[in-house]
Amino acid sequence: MKIGELAKRSGLTAHTLRYYERIGLLPPAARDVSGNRDYDESILRWIEFLGRLKATDMPIRNMLRYAELRARGESTGTERRELLAAHRDGVRMRIAELQIGLQILDAKIAAYG
Amino acid sequence: MKIGELAKRSGLTAHTLRYYERIGLLPPAARDVSGNRDYDESILRWIEFLGRLKATDMPIRNMLRYAELRARGESTGTERRELLAAHRDGVRMRIAELQIGLQILDAKIAAYG
DNA sequence: ACTTGACTTGGAGTACGCTCGAAGTTTTAT
DNA sequence: ATAAAACTTCGAGCGTACTCCAAGTCAAGT
């Protein structure tokens, strides 16, 4: 799969895919005979997971830490779990904060009505 | 109250308070005899509300729209309510998205354990 | 054969929301 | 009286996460 197709299937642009590779979020892509990036299906699962981390506001530098641990192999499991657990706790707090905001908005909107 | 005290009491820096005034989020401050900003207590409630909008990820340009409507007076009530209602809907969707992310994180973390 | 489109790299530019520095004046405390 | 702290404006700089352009190569379709 070339970068254009991966772009379509992943929902990212080719620009962004190259950017992610450049900064280390994606592993260096294999190349075909003419030097174009040639992706394996499996990259889609990784991109999807990155998308989840992003959707929950994990900053790129932390995704990068996770990506590096992942690249280092099995032995980094504990660290990875800890990283995700810390992130999860942050997400929980963020949800709580948004719920408070929601209540205040509801009250304010009601006051206008 | 001068800007330093307002900074302390609002949790924003003096720099940020001036920045907010510059872009129109805060009304032009009254000045004392020597030209320094002289704030009224009431500004704190407005800043707090702005903080809530910010905490729920409203972009500054929308806060600005709200601030402008507010400055135009009573007749803009309906528009303001609509703006807040649209924002509230966005917050609801964001919470839902984060909750999905949370489930996925929980599953992933469990898989590490 | 030729046009169109996809790909390559490197680097510059963008949007958001601050954040800070410079240079100068005024206020406050000792 | 003097030194330190707080205020002023204007404009530049920063961190994050892209986003895009230039200039060139390569591939596929008619």
Side-chain angles (χ1 to χ4, degrees), chain B residues 12 14-27 47 50-51 54 60 63-64:
Chain B
L12 301 176
H15 278 307
T16 301
L17 289 168
R18 289 192 205 97
Y19 164 70
Y20 278 4
E21 178 178 330
R22 200 159 73 212
I23 65 173
L25 264 193
L26 297 180
I47 292 173
L50 288 178
K54 183 180 136 113
I60 281 187
M63 296 189 209
L64 222 42

Side-chain angles (χ1 to χ4, degrees), chain A residues 76-96:
Chain A
T76 62
T78 305
E79 261 187 277
R80 276 187 269 168
R81 197 193 54 215
E82 280 165 5
L83 198 156
L84 292 185
H87 179 56
R88 177 194 53 188
D89 293 349
V91 174
R92 283 208 185 112
M93 281 171 51
R94 184 79 188 110
I95 289 173

Side-chain angles (χ1 to χ4, degrees), chain A residues 31-85:
Chain A
R31 301 304 177 116
D32 63 19
V33 273
S34 61
N36 289 0
R37 288 174 181 80
D38 188 11
Y39 294 98
D40 190 87
E41 292 282 324
S42 66
I43 196 75
L44 279 165
R45 265 180 290 287
W46 175 235
I47 292 174
E48 195 187 341
F49 184 61
L50 288 178
R52 274 297 153 203
L53 295 182
K54 182 179 135 105
T56 50
D57 297 325
M58 181 183 282
I60 279 187
R61 67 178 167 285
N62 291 5
M63 296 189 210
L64 221 43
R65 285 228 308 124
Y66 188 87
E68 279 157 12
L69 291 172
R70 183 173 176 268
R72 281 212 270 126
E74 286 300 313
S75 67
T76 62
T78 305
E79 261 187 277
R80 276 187 269 168
R81 197 193 54 215
E82 280 165 5
L83 198 156
L84 292 185

Side-chain angles (χ1 to χ4, degrees), chain A residues 52 55-57 95 98-99 102 105, chain B residues 56-57 85-101:
Chain A
R52 274 297 153 203
T56 50
D57 297 325
I95 289 173
L98 288 177
Q99 278 168 341
L102 198 55
L105 283 169
Chain B
T56 49
D57 298 324
H87 179 55
R88 176 193 53 187
D89 293 349
V91 174
R92 285 208 185 113
M93 281 170 52
R94 184 80 186 110
I95 290 173
E97 197 179 8
L98 288 178
Q99 278 168 341
I100 290 170

